[in-house]
Amino acid sequence: QKKVDEQTQDLSNKVKDLEEARRKENDMIDIMGHELRTPATIVKMNIGMMNDWYKKIEDYIKDVSVAGDYAKYSHRIKESIENEIKIINVLLASAKLEGNRLELYKAPISPIKAIELGIGGQKSIAEAKCLNLMFEKPLDIDNFPLVYADKGRFQEIIDNLLSNAIKYTEQGSVSVSISHDNEFVKISISDTGKGIAKEDLPNLGRKFYRTNQYLNDGSDGSTQLVRPGGTGLGLFVVFGLVKAHGGEMKVE
């Protein structure tokens, strides 16, 4: 009887775990649907506006306000398409990492150039939030060693960490520093954001993990709503890519 009771309890625990996994999967499907749908909707709306403007552009192109609006709509479309592509790339990378199907094409590359390219790509976003985005260049920058890595994946790591730092920093700065020893290059990205609770640190890098996943519905507090914004896959991919390169992540 004791053995039966233990097996029954074990089965009950497994059922609960499965239900929890399904709930999380459904929640993330909702979030990803929102994340993918929003930029696509913006593109659709702005294309419609641009088509209307296009009919008048020859007559009004000398009007500065009209030209400015046209540029604004074009910029919105470009940003939305780029966001869509980023989400899709993260989903694809996540699937490849989980299925051990990731292929790395390693070659000697410059980590300095990767950082400078990443900062250049995030500069306008940081400026819009009035954040100081800094690269603390090493003293031996002209002779800094190359790293053996997949160029595209390495850039993906840098871009994702910079984007996260800027996203969760409301004021102050985001800074990048780099150093090396005889074997490894160390890249540090720090920010003045609100940070993360110490108890949440061990969960970073888990698939679909996000801090403060739920919000109360604002009434009696009994109903929880999934907090929008982000899929929880970005750091999962970053941790996986760093590990695949033979490196390691440290978070404080």
Side-chain angles (χ1 to χ4, degrees):
Q1 182 62 43
K2 182 179 179 182
K3 191 173 182 180
V4 170
D5 289 342
E6 289 174 350
Q7 291 178 338
T8 301
Q9 183 61 46
D10 182 56
L11 180 60
S12 177
N13 292 337
K14 287 180 179 178
V15 169
K16 288 180 180 178
D17 289 343
L18 181 60
E19 289 174 348
E20 176 67 8
R22 284 178 175 170
R23 183 181 67 81
K24 288 183 177 179
E25 183 177 354
N26 289 333
D27 288 342
M28 292 317 304
I29 288 173
D30 288 341
I31 292 169
M32 284 188 288
H34 175 79
E35 294 283 338
L36 290 168
R37 184 174 63 247
T38 300
T41 302
I42 293 172
V43 170
K44 182 179 178 181
M45 289 173 59
N46 282 275
I47 286 176
M49 293 177 184
M50 288 185 70
N51 287 337
D52 291 338
W53 281 108
Y54 184 77
K55 296 172 186 176
K56 309 171 186 177
I57 201 150
E58 289 185 358
D59 297 329
Y60 296 100
I61 194 61
K62 294 179 183 179
D63 186 325
V64 176
S65 64
V66 173
D69 285 341
Y70 194 85
K72 179 175 68 177
Y73 298 142
S74 298
H75 182 69
R76 284 180 183 173
I77 289 173
K78 180 176 178 293
E79 277 196 335
S80 295
I81 291 173
E82 287 175 349
N83 288 339
E84 195 94 344
I85 291 171
K86 284 178 185 177
I87 294 169
I88 292 169
N89 285 340
V90 167
L91 289 172
L92 291 174
S94 169
K96 288 182 179 180
L97 280 168
E98 200 165 46
N100 294 318
R101 293 183 289 110
L102 183 71
E103 294 181 359
L104 298 177
Y105 302 96
K106 294 183 179 181
I109 65 169
S110 169
I112 300 289
K113 289 183 179 178
I115 291 171
E116 290 176 337
L117 187 61
I119 288 177
Q122 299 291 330
K123 188 176 180 181
S124 62
I125 302 173
E127 288 177 346
K129 297 182 71 175
C130 297
L131 299 178
N132 190 11
L133 184 55
M134 303 175 292
F135 179 22
E136 301 169 9
K137 296 181 180 180
L139 296 176
D140 59 346
I141 187 169
D142 293 330
N143 300 305
F144 201 88
L146 303 178
V147 294
Y148 193 57
D150 183 300
K151 187 175 182 179
R153 296 302 188 183
F154 189 84
Q155 191 66 54
E156 192 174 345
I157 293 168
I158 299 297
D159 291 348
N160 193 294
L161 293 176
L162 279 173
S163 175
N164 258 17
I166 293 170
K167 181 179 181 180
Y168 295 107
T169 302
E170 294 306 318
Q171 58 183 358
S173 63
V174 173
S175 60
V176 186
S177 62
I178 186 169
S179 60
H180 66 88
D181 56 24
N182 293 328
E183 190 175 2
F184 289 98
V185 162
K186 177 182 177 182
I187 299 173
S188 300
I189 299 176
S190 58
D191 61 69
T192 57
K194 63 181 180 179
I196 182 172
K198 191 173 182 179
E199 58 268 23
D200 288 330
L201 288 178
N203 293 315
L204 286 182
R206 280 176 47 198
K207 191 175 184 181
F208 292 144
Y209 177 77
R210 304 188 310 159
T211 59
N212 301 321
Q213 171 88 332
Y214 300 100
L215 300 171
N216 289 329
D217 66 355
S219 54
D220 59 357
S222 61
T223 303
Q224 287 188 318
L225 305 175
V226 178
R227 177 174 57 82
T231 60
L233 286 175
L235 283 181
F236 171 76
V237 170
V238 168
F239 273 67
L241 289 178
V242 170
K243 184 178 180 181
H245 278 88
E248 63 179 21
M249 288 276 291
K250 291 182 179 179
V251 186
E252 294 179 357

